[in-house]
Amino acid sequence: MSEQLSEAISIAEKQINQMLTMQDAMNSRVSETWRDNGYEWYRAIWVECAEMLDHHGWKWWKHQEIDVAQVQLELVDIFHFGLSLRLLQNESVESISHQLAKELHQGTGESDFKIALENLASAAVTDKAFDAKALADCMSLMNMDLNELFRQYVGKNTLNFFRQDHGYKEGTYIKIWHGEEDNEVLAKLVTELETSADDFQQQLYKALEEKYPS
């Protein structure tokens, strides 16, 4: 392994470690017993894959434009579910981080996005597993690196916490903020803040509170 690759994997491990911790916290916010509840995380993955394919386009009988931003958002959502599946393996966060960092750097080299996505969905349907290499293929084909995955993940995780704190589970949460969906508001706020700041998540949560319709 080259020194450059070794350093890249080391950085990825730290980011994935942080995301695993955030995912565990989010799942626990929804249910403290989430590890024992038998949630079908694998099903959430293949359903998201199907939704993503529509944003990418697959119909050969009509013209379709790839909505790259939306596809990237769906990949981030899938990563949430993938992290949850890996956390159920009863391995240490450090061990999971190390393995995921290697898989996300490897990929398989698949050059057709639709096939890469089908590989991701197939692992979820057939093995009830998260195929990180297939996700890496999808990310690469959508010009998304690990730093971008981290940036968008932290943003969406923070929004998910915000939703839970403002009545999402009870059905009282407001999804449209002054004519925009909360995801759209989030996307703008993330570009305005310094993602490398230690308190980035706290800054983002505060910014969401300021934008939320009262």
Side-chain angles (χ1 to χ4, degrees):
M1 183 184 298
S2 69
E3 184 177 342
Q4 185 177 7
L5 178 58
S6 178
E7 183 179 352
I9 290 179
S10 177
I11 293 172
E13 282 186 41
K14 292 177 182 177
Q15 292 177 328
I16 294 168
N17 190 301
Q18 183 176 341
M19 289 187 281
L20 283 164
T21 301
M22 293 172 68
Q23 189 62 46
D24 189 16
M26 181 66 246
N27 293 350
S28 298
R29 176 68 176 78
V30 175
S31 172
E32 293 182 358
T33 59
W34 74 269
R35 292 174 183 267
D36 304 313
N37 292 352
Y39 295 143
E40 294 87 358
W41 303 102
Y42 69 92
R43 183 174 297 148
I45 290 175
W46 66 255
V47 169
E48 290 285 350
C49 285
E51 293 177 2
M52 193 192 314
L53 193 56
D54 275 336
H55 293 301
H56 179 276
W58 60 276
K59 299 174 181 177
W60 59 88
W61 59 88
K62 62 180 289 189
H63 175 73
Q64 292 182 294
E65 296 286 345
I66 300 175
D67 188 340
V68 175
Q70 192 59 46
V71 171
Q72 288 185 353
L73 281 174
E74 299 286 2
L75 288 171
V76 173
D77 283 344
I78 285 176
F79 196 59
H80 282 76
F81 305 134
L83 290 177
S84 299
L85 267 178
R86 294 296 178 97
L87 282 166
L88 291 175
Q89 293 178 341
N90 293 321
E91 297 178 11
S92 67
V93 169
E94 290 73 21
S95 176
I96 298 171
S97 299
H98 180 68
Q99 186 61 34
L100 276 175
K102 288 197 300 183
E103 292 175 20
L104 288 171
H105 269 91
Q106 289 172 347
T108 71
E110 176 56 58
S111 60
D112 187 318
F113 180 85
K114 296 182 290 298
I115 292 176
L117 188 59
E118 286 169 351
N119 290 337
L120 182 58
S122 177
V125 173
T126 305
D127 303 321
K128 299 183 179 180
F130 169 50
D131 187 342
K133 291 182 181 181
L135 182 79
D137 291 337
C138 291
M139 287 170 52
S140 176
L141 293 165
M142 286 295 109
N143 300 315
M144 187 179 198
D145 60 15
L146 282 172
N147 287 326
E148 181 62 19
L149 175 67
F150 179 72
R151 183 183 73 84
Q152 292 199 34
Y153 175 89
V154 174
K156 189 59 182 289
N157 183 277
T158 304
L159 177 60
N160 285 341
F161 262 106
F162 186 87
R163 286 170 169 176
Q164 290 296 324
D165 291 342
H166 291 77
Y168 200 67
K169 199 171 182 180
E170 296 76 19
T172 58
Y173 178 75
I174 301 171
K175 190 75 177 291
I176 305 299
W177 301 12
H178 311 293
E180 291 184 305
E181 281 199 10
D182 56 0
N183 272 317
E184 296 175 286
V185 177
L186 172 70
K188 292 178 181 178
L189 289 175
V190 167
T191 62
E192 296 169 2
L193 298 172
E194 180 52 59
T195 57
S196 62
D198 291 337
D199 63 342
F200 169 61
Q201 191 172 20
Q202 291 76 21
Q203 287 186 42
L204 182 56
Y205 191 98
K206 182 179 179 182
L208 288 169
E209 280 191 317
E210 293 172 354
K211 294 285 187 179
Y212 189 65
S214 57

